[in-house]
Amino acid sequence: MALAFASHARRLLIAGAGAPARSLHAEPYQAKVGVVEFLNGVGKGVETHAAKVEEAVGGDLQRLLEARTLWLKKLGIPCKHRKLILSFAHKYRLGLWKPRAEPMKVE
């Protein structure tokens, strides 16, 4: 038991030293993210509201990241899309998600 724990702890220490955080493959991310690129990155139909949201925030991504659900509701965005926008905005603020340069293919 102690030997198994020691080998597991050693693997964690070795993997943590200089190893990439997530993946060995570099993924192409947007260099500069705007409102349209952000919504396109979310996908799932949210991109249909890109023009409406961009006009409302004036092209400022920071205003979109600070948006509340009531404000998005006043723009006429459905509940499911509001939830996706707010969820991905939170992940983006924390640095856990970035929009990809090319949208993912859904098959």
Side-chain angles (χ1 to χ4, degrees):
M1 175 84 171
L3 182 61
F5 177 74
S7 67
H8 180 67
R10 191 174 330 120
R11 271 188 277 138
L12 287 175
L13 290 173
I14 292 171
R22 300 226 170 124
S23 173
L24 297 175
H25 304 288
E27 297 181 16
Y29 288 112
Q30 293 282 345
K32 180 170 176 5
V33 179
V35 175
V36 175
E37 292 83 10
F38 181 85
L39 295 176
N40 285 336
V42 172
K44 301 177 185 172
V46 175
E47 62 274 0
T48 59
H49 308 289
K52 189 181 343 179
V53 172
E54 186 176 31
E55 182 183 328
V57 298
D60 185 16
L61 181 64
Q62 191 61 35
R63 285 190 61 200
L64 178 61
L65 296 177
E66 296 169 357
R68 304 280 183 188
T69 188
L70 189 60
W71 181 77
L72 293 172
K73 186 176 184 177
K74 288 180 182 177
L75 291 178
I77 299 174
C79 181
K80 185 175 183 179
H81 292 169
R82 290 194 307 265
K83 189 173 180 179
L84 285 168
I85 291 170
L86 295 174
S87 172
F88 278 89
H90 182 70
K91 291 176 187 178
Y92 183 80
R93 282 194 311 265
L94 294 176
L96 299 175
W97 177 82
K98 293 181 188 176
R100 296 177 57 88
E102 296 176 4
M104 294 182 68
K105 296 177 183 172
V106 179
E107 295 180 15

